Amino acid sequence: MEVILSRAAPLLVPQCGQAQVRGMATLKEIRLRLKSVTNIQKITKSMKMVSAAKYAKAERELKPARQYGHGAKAFYQKAEIAQDKTKPNHLVVVMSSDRGLCGGIHSSIVKHIRAKLEEEGSAVDTKFIIIGDKAKGILQRTLAQNVLISFNDYGKRPPTFSDAALVANTLLNLDYKYDRATLIFNTFKSVISYITTELPLYNPDAIQSAQKIHLYDSLDDDVLKSYNEFSLASLVLFAMKEGACSEQSSRMTAMDAASKNAGEMIGKLTLTFNRTRQAVITRELIEIISGAAAL
């Protein structure tokens, strides 16, 4: 340890004792800092404009997708299909994406999941199907053994029904036998707000055991299976569209806040740079006058 400290000591002395010559180093550092913050502000402004265009498109696509989601939910509610929350096997489908720089939209989903796990306790065996690398990266730190399947390369393009059908087929053909399933996603409310929402997903056994499901005419096993597949894909698409719209609005808000913060930093750095430059000029004039007076 003494050898290491003796080697490190000479490196620390020049940094603490070295004086700045005529303030030129300080001016150079401030100039570089000002230039970097200005470049960052240009990037955040560009990202805000791109996010605004993508948000407008996502909001237009969200309106028809909500009709599919609300229609599927209304069918399940009128059929009075319920989940048995006393059974231990619980499957959670996490709706996230691969892209960041959008505030706390991904961390809010993870916080909701962790709060739900603490509420249910250790008696419930919870497994995850994660869509997007952002939520996967956070959950794998402590719950890696609970992740069954993860989907990546999602969020770079607007979600389509093919993406939702892929997730729905994975759920239907899953080897894991789950008693109940929950879809967790962000619901878009306004440009500056979103709500983390839970949506129940029903397996074929729960649908067939519903009391009012047989009130519908000509509802055999094939029709029920086909409708279950379509409604599951519709609910997943509904969650994808809600999450995409929430993400774009959150990114637009985050980039707007970043641009404003960069502008404030540019103003402070400019003021500091001007004051430092004036101090350097004043000190040099004093030295010149003092030298002339001494002669």
Side-chain angles (χ1 to χ4, degrees), residues 69-89:
H70 293 164
K73 289 194 296 183
F75 171 78
Y76 290 135
Q77 290 174 358
K78 292 181 179 180
E80 295 184 0
I81 303 173
Q83 292 181 338
D84 190 0
K85 295 184 179 181
T86 59
K87 294 184 178 180
N89 295 332

Side-chain angles (χ1 to χ4, degrees), residues 51 122 155 281:
S51 298
S122 59
I281 295 173

Side-chain angles (χ1 to χ4, degrees), residues 51 55 71 76 135 175 196 217 247:
S51 298
Y55 160 70
Y76 290 135
D175 295 334
T196 304
D217 296 334
E247 179 182 341

Side-chain angles (χ1 to χ4, degrees), residues 7-41:
R7 292 177 180 175
L11 297 176
L12 297 175
V13 172
Q15 294 179 3
C16 297
Q18 192 177 29
Q20 294 175 350
V21 181
R22 297 183 182 274
M24 295 304 294
T26 303
L27 286 175
K28 184 178 180 180
E29 291 174 359
I30 296 175
R31 189 182 293 110
L32 291 175
R33 179 71 172 169
L34 188 61
K35 184 178 179 181
S36 64
V37 175
T38 304
N39 293 334
I40 290 173
Q41 187 186 41

Side-chain angles (χ1 to χ4, degrees), residues 63-101:
K63 295 179 180 179
R66 277 180 171 172
Q67 298 178 2
Y68 288 96
H70 293 164
K73 289 194 296 183
F75 171 78
Y76 290 135
Q77 290 174 358
K78 292 181 179 180
E80 295 184 0
I81 303 173
Q83 292 181 338
D84 190 0
K85 295 184 179 181
T86 59
K87 294 184 178 180
N89 295 332
H90 184 199
L91 180 65
V92 176
V93 182
V94 184
M95 189 64 63
S96 178
S97 73
D98 292 356
R99 303 190 64 193
L101 297 177

Side-chain angles (χ1 to χ4, degrees), residues 29 86 130 193 209-210 234 239 246 261:
E29 291 174 359
T86 59
I130 305 176
S193 65
S209 61
S234 299
S246 302
N261 294 336

